[in-house]
Amino acid sequence: MVVMGFGAATVLGTVLLMLPFSSEAGEATDPVTALFTATSAVCVTGLVVVDTSTYWSLFGELVILGLIQIGGLGIMTLASLLGLLVARRMGLRMQLVAQTETKSLRLGESKRVVLGVLKMSVAVEVVVAIILTARFAAGYHQPLGQAMYSGIFHAISAYNNAGFALYADSLTRFQTDAWIIVPVMAALVIGGLGFPVIFEVTRSMRRTATRNRTASHWSLHTKITLLTYGVLAVVAVLSITAIEWANPHTLGPLGVPGKLLAGTFAGISPRTAGFNSVDIAGMHPSTLLLTDVLMFIGGGSAGTAGGIKVTTFALLAFVIVTEIRGEPTVHVMGRRLSAMVQRQAITVALLGVGAVMAGTLTLLLLTDFDLDAVLFEVVSAFGTVGLSAGITADLPAAGQILLVALMFVGRLGPITLASALALRERGRRYELPEERPIVG
C-alpha cells in the first residue's frame, strides 16, 4: 500500500508536469523529464534535469512544492505508524496473554501520530518561512510577494530534506549569509531526525521541570539516533572544512567566518538535504568520497531523510565492537539488542550496498563519466539527497530512468523492508546441527 500510494502520487505529478502550462515556455514537457522531476519531488530528493526556476512556470513550481509536501508528510507519517506497529507487535512477548488484543494500532494512536507529524511540520515550516521571507525582503530587496513565495518554497523544501531551490546555483549565492543558511540548516536537521525522536525530546523537556525527567529516560532509539547523528555531523563538518579550507574552487576564496559557515553547511547537508552552498564539482575527491558515505548513511528513521538511516549504521557498529570483544550478545546503553534487529540492520545495509553497486556499474556502462561523478550521482539518488556533481542533465534517458528507480527504491526500500522483516518473523520448531565455516 505504501509503494502503491507513492507510485500513484508520482504518476499524478508526472501527468501534471507534462501539461503545457507547467513549463515557462508553454510547451508540453517530455515524459522522462516530467517523470524524473515528479519522482525527485515525491521522494524528496532534489535531483533535477532542468533548472527549476527557469524551466517550470509558477503552476509547475507549485506542483513540485505540493509533491514535496505530500512526499515528506507521507514518509514521516507512514514510517512513524509502521514503527509504532512494529514496536507494539514486538512488545507482545513481554505482555500478559490477556493483553494480546492490543497488538494492533488503535484509532487514537494513529490519530495522535498523524496530528503530531502535521503540527510539527507546519510549525517548523512557518517559523523558517517567516525568517527567510524577512531576510529576502530586507537583505535582498525582493518585493514582499516574491520574498514570501521564496521563503515558503525553501522552508518546505528544507524541512522535507528535498533540496529543490529557486536558484540555479542552489544556495551558493547565500553561502556567507547566516540568516539564510542557519534557518535552512535547522529545518533540515529537525526534519532529518524524525518525528519519534523530536516528539520524545520535546515531551521530555516539558516534563523535566515537573517530574524531574532526564535524558536517561529516553528510548534506546532516541539515544542512538541523537548520538550517532551528532557524532557524524561533527566528524563531517570538521573533515570537510579542513579538506576544503584552501581549495580555490570551494572554501578558499572565503574569509574565516564564511569558511566556517559554508563548511558546516557542507557537512550537514549531505544527510539527505540536497542544498549546496559551494560548487560540488570543485570539491576534492576525498571530500566527494566522504560525502558519498554521509549520503548513504542518511538521517533518522521516520523522518524526511533517506539513506539506510543512522540507527542501522550504529547497530552495525555495535555488532562489530561486540564481536571484536568476543562477547556473546550485543549490549547498548543498558539494553540488549535482539538477534532479529541485528539481522534486519545487516539486511538493509547490504541490500543498500547492492543497489548502489548495481546502479553505479550500470551507469558506467551507459555513460563516459568517471567513477567519482557516477558514484556520487548514484549514492545521491539512492540516499534521496539531491546533491549532484553536475552530470544529471547530461545523462541519457536510460541513465535518468535508472536514477528514478534508485530514488524510488532508496526512499521506500529501507522503510518497507525493515517493517516487513520485523512483522513477518516466524518461529522455528527445530534447529539443525551447528557447523562453523571458515570466515576471512
Side-chain angles (χ1 to χ4, degrees), residues 313-390:
F313 174 76
L315 291 178
L316 294 177
F318 292 136
V319 171
I320 292 173
V321 171
T322 299
E323 187 63 27
I324 291 175
R325 289 178 175 177
E327 298 175 352
T329 55
V330 182
H331 290 183
V332 180
M333 301 178 185
R335 294 290 187 271
R336 177 173 60 86
L337 293 183
S338 69
M340 180 192 66
V341 172
Q342 299 172 44
R343 294 194 302 268
Q344 291 172 13
I346 293 173
T347 302
V348 170
L350 289 184
L351 287 178
V353 171
V356 169
M357 293 303 298
T360 302
L361 178 60
T362 304
L363 211 55
L364 285 172
L365 293 174
L366 292 175
T367 67
D368 296 326
F369 295 111
D370 58 38
L371 177 61
D372 285 344
V374 169
L375 179 62
F376 192 94
E377 212 76 11
V378 169
V379 176
S380 180
F382 174 79
T384 65
V385 181
L387 294 176
S388 174

Side-chain angles (χ1 to χ4, degrees), residues 168-213:
D169 59 356
S170 190
L171 300 181
T172 303
R173 66 185 66 188
F174 309 114
Q175 62 185 178
T176 59
D177 190 342
W179 288 101
I180 300 293
I181 297 299
V182 172
V184 168
M185 196 157 42
L188 65 91
V189 169
I190 294 173
L193 284 174
F195 171 73
V197 173
I198 299 299
F199 176 75
E200 187 170 356
V201 171
T202 53
R203 183 179 59 180
S204 177
M205 292 173 60
R206 290 195 300 265
R207 294 180 177 179
T208 298
T210 57
R211 301 185 183 182
N212 195 28
R213 192 177 181 90

